Amino acid sequence: MNATTLLVVIIGLTVFGYVIGRMRSIKVSQGTGGPSSLHSLPKYYGYMVALWCGIPALILLVLWLVLEPGILRSLLLDELPTTMSTLSENELSLVMNDLQLLADSGRIDAETDPHKKAAAIKLLELNSTSELMRNVLIFLVALNGIIWGLANVKIDMRARVFVERIIRYLLILCSLVAILTTIGIVLSVLFESIRFFKSVPITDFIFGTEWSPQTAIRADQVGSSGAFGAIPLFAGTLLISAIALIIAVPTGLMSAIYLSEYASRRFRAVAKPLLEILAGIPTVVYGFFAALTVAPFIRKFGESIGLNVASESALAAGVVMGIMIIPFVSSLSDDVISAVPKAMRDGAYGMGATQSETIRQVLIPAALPGIVGGILLAASRAIGETMIVVMAAGLAANLTVNPLQAVTTVTVQIVTLLTGDQEFDSPKTLAAFALGLMLFVTTLVLNVIALHIVRKYREQYE
């Protein structure tokens, strides 16, 4: 029984524990006036038994899956010849992987190396023993949990309090997982960035105007020494994002105002889902549309009026990206404008304001936090977009503010640097982490600015 099947069994036992715990609570209450004599509703007793069954079993399963590889590896090392004790950690990991593949393939008899064959047989035996012990122990833990939970089903048992306390602890645990994950991401990017800045001065990275991360692999090899100036990348990112927001924000906000204040219910029921379909289209489809339709149209139109337009331009990528992020602005703005209390509209009309004045002076200030949140979400989506930029704007790190020229973005370069088999010991590869760190800081600054704006206008309105 593999881990997935065992998880299904645990879920089944948990559901069984809920059903039998609920039935047990009803049966206990029959001699004392029925379910109304219980401290909690019968369902809470079922939840209590289910929690006693499922949580210990899941904890044991997770611990087993985490600790099992290390324990099996230490036991298996005894079967390997003593000459392998001098291998490095990476070489030893390759040997262990070969043994695991040999045991999983079922071709142990075809192996000619006697030491390897014996180790593979031992690994197969250890895996079988470990799986059997895991299944038996988890099954026993789950059954004991059910028995313990049923033993605590009593008239005066505060089942609801117990269940709510456990749920609160689970919610706290989930919050901690999210927080620790964020901290782990930041620290991992930070540590690798520090390694990069030991090779490349941070001033050259932040203020450099040339980006060419290619470096020579060997000392006798002809190659670039590498230039890691990030200004062209951030300039391209901001240029494309600005074009996208110039298109998405007015269009999305105006469409949200129309749908929430002017459109009929029938038109709104049709138009809003159609508008939100744009958010579900894969970005690679937008990339094809930008490369095959928008970019050639912009180039031909520019040439017809005497402009020099590159085959891949920031304008083409920005226009298509703006179309893609319209639903982020429109849908959120529509929801927050519609959520403004009707009494505020009626009060404005009662004071003689027109509908347009009510929208400008009452609805928009009241809904401003939600609108800014939608714009910020759209900006983050634009800054993090990769596929459209690759297909429509290219990979050239040009420092320009001309939207008719080819540019690239930070995310595109991160993907380019980490494509293929990479060893994280060269400035070229570590530059991706430095770019990620700078992008994180930039996004954080934008969030702080947006939060300040929201608080300022909210205080004025209140």
Side-chain angles (χ1 to χ4, degrees):
M1 185 185 299
N2 56 30
T4 304
T5 306
L6 186 58
L7 180 61
V8 174
V9 172
I10 293 174
I11 295 175
L13 289 175
T14 303
V15 174
F16 172 74
Y18 168 79
V19 174
I20 195 172
R22 187 177 182 277
M23 294 173 58
R24 173 68 176 172
S25 65
I26 296 174
K27 183 177 180 180
V28 168
S29 65
Q30 287 179 353
T32 57
S36 60
S37 63
L38 295 171
H39 175 274
S40 307
L41 294 175
K43 65 179 182 180
Y44 286 107
Y45 293 92
Y47 292 145
M48 181 184 69
V49 177
L51 290 174
W52 275 114
C53 171
I55 292 180
L58 288 176
I59 292 176
L60 180 58
L61 176 61
V62 171
L63 291 177
W64 199 285
L65 294 178
V66 171
L67 300 177
E68 181 186 35
I71 296 175
L72 293 184
R73 177 173 177 170
S74 62
L75 293 175
L76 189 61
L77 288 178
D78 297 336
E79 297 296 325
L80 297 177
T82 55
T83 55
M84 289 189 177
S85 60
T86 60
L87 295 178
S88 64
E89 186 66 23
N90 292 333
E91 293 173 339
L92 192 58
S93 297
L94 291 176
V95 173
M96 299 299 294
N97 290 335
D98 290 340
L99 293 176
Q100 186 66 52
L101 291 174
L102 186 62
D104 295 339
S105 64
R107 297 195 301 267
I108 298 179
D109 294 336
E111 178 60 41
T112 57
D113 188 344
H115 298 292
K116 215 171 184 180
K117 183 176 181 179
I121 294 174
K122 181 65 174 180
L123 177 60
L124 198 59
E125 294 175 354
L126 291 174
N127 284 333
S128 300
T129 304
S130 174
E131 183 176 347
L132 178 61
M133 293 176 59
R134 180 193 66 196
N135 296 340
V136 171
L137 286 177
I138 291 177
F139 189 74
L140 291 176
V141 168
L143 288 181
N144 287 331
I146 293 177
I147 295 172
W148 175 261
L150 292 175
N152 285 275
V153 176
K154 301 175 183 178
I155 296 294
D156 56 347
M157 176 62 187
R158 299 175 178 268
R160 179 179 60 82
V161 177
F162 172 81
V163 171
E164 291 179 350
R165 184 184 297 116
I166 296 298
I167 296 300
R168 184 170 67 252
Y169 291 154
L170 291 177
L171 293 177
I172 294 174
L173 179 62
C174 293
S175 301
L176 290 176
V177 169
I179 294 173
L180 293 177
T181 301
T182 304
I183 295 175
I185 292 173
V186 173
L187 292 180
S188 63
V189 173
L190 180 61
F191 290 152
E192 298 299 330
S193 299
I194 292 174
R195 292 179 57 195
F196 170 75
F197 290 132
K198 290 180 180 178
S199 302
V200 178
I202 187 172
T203 53
D204 294 347
F205 177 76
I206 296 177
F207 302 108
T209 58
E210 183 180 355
W211 177 263
S212 179
Q214 300 300 326
T215 58
I217 300 176
R218 300 187 306 272
D220 60 343
Q221 184 177 8
V222 178
S224 174
S225 59
F228 297 94
I231 286 183
L233 306 185
F234 284 95
T237 301
L238 295 178
L239 178 61
I240 294 177
S241 300
I243 296 172
L245 292 176
I246 289 173
I247 293 174
V249 172
T251 306
L253 186 56
M254 293 302 110
S255 62
I257 292 174
Y258 176 77
L259 289 175
S260 62
E261 299 300 317
Y262 293 99
S264 63
R265 288 187 177 181
R266 179 177 298 178
F267 181 81
R268 174 186 169 87
V270 176
K272 187 173 182 179
L274 290 177
L275 190 62
E276 292 178 347
I277 287 177
L278 294 175
I281 299 176
T283 56
V284 68
V285 177
Y286 280 110
F288 280 125
F289 176 66
L292 301 179
T293 304
V294 178
F297 172 79
I298 293 176
R299 185 176 66 253
K300 291 179 182 178
F301 179 78
E303 292 174 351
S304 66
I305 60 176
L307 297 177
N308 184 18
V309 183
S311 299
E312 297 174 326
S313 63
L315 183 60
V319 169
V320 176
M321 193 182 298
I323 296 173
M324 180 189 68
I325 63 177
I326 285 176
F328 293 92
V329 180
S330 174
S331 181
L332 291 176
S333 299
D334 180 24
D335 292 338
V336 296
I337 292 174
S338 300
V340 175
K342 188 175 183 299
M344 300 181 67
R345 295 177 173 85
D346 296 339
Y349 294 146
M351 296 180 67
T354 63
Q355 187 174 14
S356 61
E357 290 174 340
T358 301
I359 292 172
R360 293 196 312 270
Q361 300 178 17
V362 177
L363 300 183
I364 297 300
L368 185 63
I371 294 174
V372 174
I375 295 174
L376 183 61
L377 179 62
S380 301
R381 185 71 177 83
I383 292 174
E385 177 54 38
T386 304
M387 187 58 65
I388 295 176
V389 180
V390 171
M391 302 180 71
L395 300 174
N398 297 323
L399 180 57
T400 178
V401 293
N402 185 1
L404 303 180
Q405 297 298 317
V407 296
T408 189
T409 63
V410 173
T411 55
V412 170
Q413 288 301 311
I414 291 175
V415 173
T416 303
L417 293 171
L418 297 181
T419 300
D421 296 331
Q422 301 289 345
E423 293 185 2
F424 298 97
D425 56 357
S426 66
K428 175 184 175 182
T429 306
L430 295 176
F433 296 94
L435 290 174
L437 179 64
M438 296 301 298
L439 190 62
F440 172 79
V441 173
T442 302
T443 306
L444 180 62
V445 171
L446 292 176
N447 287 339
V448 172
I449 293 174
L451 184 60
H452 175 72
I453 294 174
V454 169
R455 286 180 176 176
K456 178 181 177 180
Y457 281 91
R458 179 185 293 175
E459 289 173 358
Q460 288 181 355
Y461 177 75
E462 294 174 349

